[in-house]
Amino acid sequence: MSMTLRIKRVPTVVSNYQKDEAEEGARRVGGCGRNCLNQCCIPGAKLPLYAFKKLNVNDGDTGLLGHEKREPPVPFLDSLLLGEWEDRMQRGLFRYDVTACETKVIPGQFGFIAQLNEGRHLKKRPTEFRVDKVLQPFDCSKFNFTKVGQEEVLFQFEASEDGEVQFFPSAPIDVESSPSVVAINVSPIEYGHVLLIPRILERLPQRIDRESFLLALHMAAEAGNPYFRLGYNSLGAFATINHLHFQAYYLAVTFPIEKAPTKKIATLNAEVKVAELLNYPVRGLVFEGGNTLQDLSNTVSDACICLQENNIPYNVLISDSGKRIFLMPQCYAEKQALGEVRAEILDTQVNPAVWEISGHMVLKRKKDYDEASDENAWKLLAEVSLSEERFQEVNALIFEGIASGDNGNENLLEDPEVKPRSHEEVNTINKRVHCSAVNEQICRLFTM
């Protein structure tokens, strides 16, 4: 007998136009009344447009066909993204001043980063979220990013049509092509916290596809700064808005996950190297290399698509200007819904999404900030991780998914430690992975 797994949490307010569902309905009856990105306001609207050059090699120093990369007409990170973000801060569009939040590196082996952010969860009541379904249909009746005000959008972000970087301070919004945009998060975790929303007018649900993931890597490459990272949370892994988006911000410190040792397990046909995290509380895979940026992007997006289609929640960190990507399947929300997370950890109200998993702990209580330690951070993150057995089973699914995404060609070349599975073996693993939550007593992966 199946059951639906749900948890209650305070949703993150990412836009000043994000309201409770009752208020949303009332406003729809009365009309828009604001400069949004829906059909009521978008005709004739203009926004800045940054058109990036597609890279044919996975190297931030060279561009198309190996030619030297020219200086962009406007520095992407410093002048455009962070400059426009600071402009919105001066205009009072954020719910609080994140630059005033206390932050420290926790003494110890791992260098976890703790931030005290008491304003991020205030003035909102807990909302129930379903956590056992990674793929859910888009629901126009709920908040989505077409409802944000145009003043919250920093610029459009698109591939250049002529192969050169271009910047237009005021460009029409092409409704037919559905532009990708960068908008502020009004409840920022750090300086420069923004949202990348691919093809915003298509109203895509929160699920990775090849085109959108490549766009995120291009944004990381365009920023060209290892301290500017992008992150992704699937549904069931603490994404609360079912409208496709990535998050990004600037923090000038190395994340603990970036310093963790790794063990290489495979090299793929396009020279994408895959490693496994070692001595870190959350088990995960690390992808890097590739002959082109698209090779790396396709490999990771195929892995994400595999997890989605097998209903496995996950988080992604895009690091090192898009050259290194961390993929972490997780089970915290599932365990929380099943009552398996200890009360003292639940009391912290920390929702371990991509930033927390990467080692940037956003704490809501002064007590937890004052008592922050390597041990406490490890205890929390250990609850997120799959067991070793389940992780290896999920890895087998991932490698099968990557091989399928590569048109079924043999994908593993150098000393792979994850052996390709037969179709029958994959089906068996898939069934075992998914019966853990719903039919725990019959088939529990953690205690096989």
Side-chain angles (χ1 to χ4, degrees):
M1 181 178 179
S2 64
M3 61 181 177
T4 299
L5 299 182
R6 299 180 183 273
I7 63 171
K8 283 192 174 183
R9 59 162 290 194
V10 176
T12 302
V13 178
V14 297
S15 167
N16 291 313
Y17 299 97
Q18 185 176 346
K19 305 292 182 182
D20 292 328
E21 297 304 317
E23 297 175 27
E24 273 291 310
R27 187 168 61 240
R28 283 196 301 273
V29 173
C32 175
R34 65 175 188 269
N35 201 25
C36 72
L37 292 176
N38 272 310
Q39 287 297 330
C40 52
C41 301
I42 208 170
K46 294 185 177 182
L47 290 169
L49 168 62
Y50 187 96
F52 61 87
K53 179 199 297 186
K54 288 186 177 181
L55 298 179
N56 251 14
V57 291
N58 195 8
D59 187 337
D61 297 327
T62 57
L64 192 67
L65 301 179
H67 292 301
E68 289 300 311
K69 185 176 179 181
R70 297 180 184 176
E71 286 297 316
V74 56
F76 177 78
L77 180 61
D78 294 339
S79 295
L80 180 58
L81 193 149
L82 296 180
E84 290 295 314
W85 189 90
E86 287 191 356
D87 170 77
R88 301 316 192 271
M89 184 168 66
Q90 294 298 322
R91 288 158 61 176
L93 298 187
F94 295 101
R95 297 174 67 225
Y96 51 82
D97 181 6
V98 71
T99 63
C101 292
E102 293 182 66
T103 298
K104 64 183 178 183
V105 176
I106 302 172
Q109 176 184 354
F110 301 99
F112 289 110
I113 307 141
Q115 181 198 89
L116 178 60
N117 193 327
E118 296 175 291
R120 202 160 197 260
H121 71 304
L122 298 178
K123 300 178 182 178
K124 288 288 290 183
R125 63 172 182 261
T127 301
E128 195 172 74
F129 291 92
R130 184 172 184 177
V131 297
D132 61 350
K133 195 173 181 183
V134 174
L135 297 180
Q136 299 179 29
F138 186 88
D139 186 347
C140 289
S141 69
K142 294 184 177 180
F143 175 80
N144 64 76
F145 295 113
T146 66
K147 299 179 182 182
V148 306
Q150 291 180 28
E151 72 277 7
E152 296 178 347
V153 179
L154 303 185
F155 53 89
Q156 303 175 69
F157 186 67
E158 298 290 338
S160 174
E161 294 182 355
D162 66 0
E164 291 298 331
V165 177
Q166 294 180 301
F167 177 69
F168 304 92
S170 181
I173 299 174
D174 187 349
V175 176
E176 294 300 319
S177 66
S178 186
S180 300
V181 303
V182 175
I184 60 172
N185 183 333
V186 302
S187 300
I189 287 176
E190 256 304 338
Y191 180 71
H193 193 169
V194 295
L195 305 168
L196 171 64
I197 309 160
R199 312 194 305 278
I200 184 170
L201 301 181
E202 291 185 25
R203 295 171 173 82
L204 302 169
Q206 185 74 341
R207 61 184 300 172
I208 292 290
D209 62 75
R210 278 189 168 191
E211 181 181 348
S212 299
F213 198 80
L214 181 59
L215 182 76
L217 290 199
H218 274 295
M219 183 173 176
E222 207 64 34
N225 189 312
Y227 296 133
F228 182 80
R229 309 166 179 92
L230 282 85
Y232 177 86
N233 303 314
S234 78
L235 297 181
F238 295 99
T240 58
I241 296 173
N242 188 21
H243 189 175
L244 180 58
H245 65 286
F246 297 81
Q247 301 184 49
Y249 60 74
Y250 178 86
L251 182 61
V253 63
T254 303
F255 281 176
I257 198 170
E258 295 170 328
K259 297 184 289 185
T262 60
K263 176 186 177 183
K264 177 184 166 185
I265 57 176
T267 299
L268 310 184
N269 273 342
E271 297 301 316
V272 175
K273 297 175 176 60
V274 188
E276 185 176 324
L277 284 171
L278 300 176
N279 195 29
Y280 198 73
V282 182
R283 295 176 177 87
L285 296 177
V286 187
F287 298 81
E288 53 192 328
N291 295 326
T292 68
L293 192 70
Q294 187 162 356
D295 289 333
L296 179 61
S297 178
N298 285 349
T299 299
V300 181
S301 58
D302 287 347
C304 294
I305 290 167
C306 171
L307 292 177
Q308 291 168 175
E309 292 177 346
N310 286 286
N311 203 31
I312 301 169
Y314 65 94
N315 308 90
V316 179
L317 177 71
I318 299 172
S319 175
D320 195 16
S321 302
K323 299 173 187 174
R324 199 166 184 233
I325 304 168
F326 297 81
L327 174 61
M328 295 80 63
Q330 71 141 293
C331 60
Y332 185 92
E334 174 188 306
K335 291 168 72 174
Q336 182 179 347
L338 292 169
E340 296 179 353
V341 179
R342 287 172 291 172
E344 62 267 25
I345 292 177
L346 290 175
D347 288 345
T348 67
Q349 302 176 59
V350 173
N351 300 310
V354 61
W355 307 119
E356 288 78 10
I357 291 173
S358 300
H360 188 195
M361 315 300 293
V362 182
L363 304 173
K364 301 178 176 72
R365 303 189 305 181
K366 185 79 163 61
K367 171 181 179 292
D368 298 320
Y369 181 80
D370 292 340
E371 297 174 358
S373 65
D374 257 10
E375 181 183 4
N376 289 342
W378 187 284
K379 283 180 181 177
L380 169 65
L381 294 183
E383 297 282 356
V384 177
S385 183
L386 303 186
S387 69
E388 177 63 24
E389 183 178 18
R390 187 177 181 188
F391 178 66
Q392 294 304 330
E393 292 176 339
V394 169
N395 278 359
L397 287 174
I398 287 173
F399 277 86
E400 177 71 14
I402 292 172
S404 298
D406 196 38
N407 297 319
N409 295 328
E410 183 63 42
N411 218 15
L412 305 179
L413 289 183
E414 296 180 8
D415 303 321
E417 293 199 8
V418 178
K419 304 296 182 183
R421 305 294 185 109
S422 69
H423 181 70
E424 291 75 15
E425 287 177 306
V426 171
N427 283 340
T428 300
I429 291 168
N430 190 24
K431 290 175 183 176
R432 292 167 64 198
V433 167
H434 292 295
C435 63
S436 63
V438 180
N439 300 310
E440 248 190 331
Q441 302 304 319
I442 300 173
C443 179
R444 183 176 172 116
L445 290 172
F446 300 110
T447 58
M448 285 182 58

